[in-house]
Amino acid sequence: SNSNGSITSTVSANTTSGFSIVSYTGTGSTATVGHGLGATPSMIIIKERNNATSWIVYHHKNTSAPATDYLLLNSTQATDDYADYFNDTEPTSSVFTIDTAGDINGSSDTYIAYCFAEKKGFSKFGSYTGNGNADGTFVYTGFKPAFVIRKVTSASSDWLMQDNKRSESGGSNQIRNYLFPNSSQAEVSNQDYFNIDFLSNGFKMRS
């Protein structure tokens, strides 16, 4: 039980890896919810449990004012602005703020939130600008990634998931298999559309 926020939440947190699972019941009014990380979340994914609604995503590098904006994990939609999700209020080391939107804080509705805080050598949450070349943008993480999730924020586009447990092929170390978490589509394999290199200190686009 976590009473750091105006809503008492139920939290399972691993502060070493910077991940917590938060269950709460909405009030329909602007509120705060304790997340148990002891560090400010870089990314929060929220899903209403008792109604069919979208997955709401906060990401600290989404825009210059990320608490004003949001992404949808189940959609190709670009970043959009909507104050009724996070009340234009950045999360803190103890709570995140929710406003009055029904798919994040409906009265008596139940929600689950997955909260992620950056941990050196373990996780990184950032942004980059593409260059349109096969010699693509390099993204520094400070460690070799095992799992990378990407989303174009400036346009409608699929989310992309790539990991080090699925085949590397094409005569290089490039990861060529990918999944779309916003889609029911099967894995796409051995295609050159979204090639990525997992390097010792980050990752680099190769298409």
Side-chain angles (χ1 to χ4, degrees):
S1 180
N2 184 304
S3 57
N4 287 338
S6 60
I7 293 175
T8 298
S9 57
T10 301
V11 176
S12 176
N14 186 324
T15 56
T16 300
S17 62
F19 175 58
S20 68
I21 303 170
V22 181
S23 175
Y24 67 92
T25 300
T27 63
S29 302
T30 303
T32 54
V33 181
H35 53 68
L37 288 175
T40 302
S42 297
M43 186 174 182
I44 304 171
I45 303 172
I46 301 175
K47 180 70 177 75
E48 185 175 359
R49 296 165 59 196
N50 59 308
N51 288 299
T53 56
S54 291
W55 294 76
I56 311 303
V57 180
Y58 162 87
H59 192 290
H60 77 141
K61 294 295 186 182
N62 188 1
T63 65
S64 59
T68 302
D69 304 309
Y70 71 96
L71 290 162
L72 299 177
L73 184 62
N74 57 295
S75 171
T76 60
Q77 176 182 308
T79 293
D80 206 352
D81 185 300
Y82 189 47
D84 287 351
Y85 281 144
F86 304 112
N87 194 42
D88 291 354
T89 304
E90 298 293 335
T92 71
S93 60
S94 58
V95 300
F96 60 89
T97 299
I98 51 176
D99 210 339
T100 57
D103 43 5
I104 201 170
N105 187 22
S107 179
S108 300
D109 290 333
T110 56
Y111 300 85
I112 200 78
Y114 304 107
C115 304
F116 304 84
E118 283 191 1
K119 292 296 178 178
K120 186 176 181 179
F122 182 81
S123 62
K124 189 73 173 175
F125 302 86
S127 64
Y128 68 91
T129 300
N131 63 16
N133 298 322
D135 184 14
T137 303
F138 169 74
V139 180
Y140 177 81
T141 61
F143 57 91
K144 186 172 184 176
F147 178 41
V148 173
I149 306 176
R150 295 178 283 162
K151 172 72 176 78
V152 177
T153 58
S154 56
S156 177
S157 180
D158 289 304
W159 291 75
L160 291 168
M161 286 183 171
Q162 288 165 288
D163 62 75
N164 66 0
K165 298 304 180 191
R166 290 179 293 142
S167 66
E168 301 173 354
S169 58
S172 71
N173 290 325
Q174 295 177 25
I175 308 296
R176 304 177 73 211
N177 293 5
Y178 46 91
L179 291 164
F180 302 127
N182 55 279
S183 169
S184 60
Q185 180 177 334
E187 174 184 77
V188 180
S189 60
N190 296 325
Q191 297 294 323
D192 291 326
Y193 301 131
F194 303 114
N195 290 11
I196 185 173
D197 264 351
F198 286 179
L199 305 172
S200 63
N201 59 351
F203 61 94
K204 184 176 176 64
M205 268 48 73
R206 293 293 189 186
S207 61

